[in-house]
Structure formats: C-alpha cells, structure tokens
Amino acid sequence: TETKWDDQGLAWRLPAGWKKMDVKKESFNYQSPDNAFLLVNISVMPDSFPMDISLDAYYEQALQQMKNGKYESAKKVTIDGIPGVEFSEAATEGKDDIRRHQWIGYRSYLGQKQQVNVMTSTKNSSFAKHADEFTAILYSMTAVQ
C-alpha cells in the first residue's frame, strides 16, 4: 500500500496491515500488526549546513560501528535522488532489545536543507522475519525534489 506524507513530499510502499500511528509536519510514524515500526523524522538544517561533509561523517561512523560489531552492514545509498547512508544494527543479546535498519540522507526541499532520517525497527527476536520487508520499505521511498 502506498503511504504518502504530503507535508514533506515523501511516500513509501508498506505491507498490508500497517497502520498510521502519528503524522506531523516533521515526523511520520507507522506500525505493523506485530509491532514493527517505520519512524521518519525531518530535521531542518541551517542554510550553511555542509550536507556532503555530514553525510561522509555518518558513513565513516557507520563503518566504524560495523568494525566494532555494532552494525552488520553500512553503505552509501541514493534513494530516489537523495544521497544517504544505510546501516543495519547487529543482533544483541536480549531478544526484546530494539534493533534498527536505518537510512539517513540529506536533501534540499522547499528552500530548506533537510536531514531525512528513515528508521525501521522491531524487537531483536522479530528482526529476521522483517529484514527483507524493512529493506523493501526503505528502497520504496519516493520524493518530490
């Protein structure tokens, strides 16, 4: 099902049964029937904000977290024209710990520089079941440029 966020000109395709939790000007939250989540936040940055430098820093940090065993993957990915960094947390010891698959990108939209933070998450014990779905949700994002 395509789900649109008109305030930000973004949309995703979500699996059947996902329901809106809360949608505001700078946050967009949906939930699956078994407590997986799509949580999106927009942060407006100052005009002078160095988006390329920040993106490189996120990527370097993600690679370091992967080296440290905190992330199982990290890569630069452009989704519908927006450059970003995608990373997935490694499994933790607790089955009820929250585990995230996340993408952070930067864009210019309506005269603003914005950080777009797209996070999918669920508890550790359910993550493998949702892993392909989470990737599909992230990559389904479309953006009005």
Side-chain angles (χ1 to χ4, degrees):
T1 307
E2 186 173 60
T3 305
K4 292 185 177 186
W5 188 10
D6 291 328
D7 280 344
Q8 295 296 340
L10 297 171
W12 293 266
R13 286 190 306 279
L14 297 178
W18 284 59
K19 301 275 188 244
K20 178 166 66 170
M21 292 169 41
D22 190 37
V23 175
K24 296 180 179 163
K25 185 161 179 57
E26 295 181 354
S27 64
F28 181 91
N29 303 322
Y30 271 69
Q31 179 178 5
S32 77
D34 66 342
N35 293 318
F37 299 91
L38 168 64
L39 308 170
V40 186
N41 288 293
I42 299 289
S43 299
V44 177
M45 312 310 275
D47 290 344
S48 61
F49 186 79
M51 294 191 293
D52 292 344
I53 293 169
S54 183
L55 197 60
D56 288 343
Y58 266 112
Y59 181 60
E60 291 303 319
Q61 178 185 17
L63 290 177
Q64 187 62 48
Q65 292 287 60
M66 201 165 83
K67 185 176 164 186
N68 294 342
K70 300 287 185 189
Y71 292 172
E72 65 180 13
S73 66
K75 59 186 174 183
K76 284 187 173 183
V77 176
T78 298
I79 301 177
D80 202 28
I82 303 174
V85 176
E86 175 188 3
F87 48 95
S88 187
E89 292 178 342
T92 57
E93 293 175 15
K95 66 180 178 61
D96 289 334
D97 291 349
I98 299 301
R99 190 167 167 200
R100 299 164 194 86
H101 184 164
Q102 196 164 353
W103 177 87
I104 295 173
Y106 289 100
R107 69 174 183 167
S108 293
Y109 182 68
L110 298 179
Q112 297 177 331
K113 285 187 175 181
Q114 295 181 339
Q115 180 192 74
V116 182
N117 185 339
V118 182
M119 181 190 321
T120 52
S121 67
T122 192
K123 59 186 177 185
N124 199 27
S125 59
S126 300
F127 192 86
K129 179 176 95 169
H130 287 284
D132 290 344
E133 194 174 82
F134 285 170
T135 300
I137 290 169
L138 285 178
Y139 286 26
S140 78
M141 185 176 80
T142 57
V144 174
Q145 296 297 324

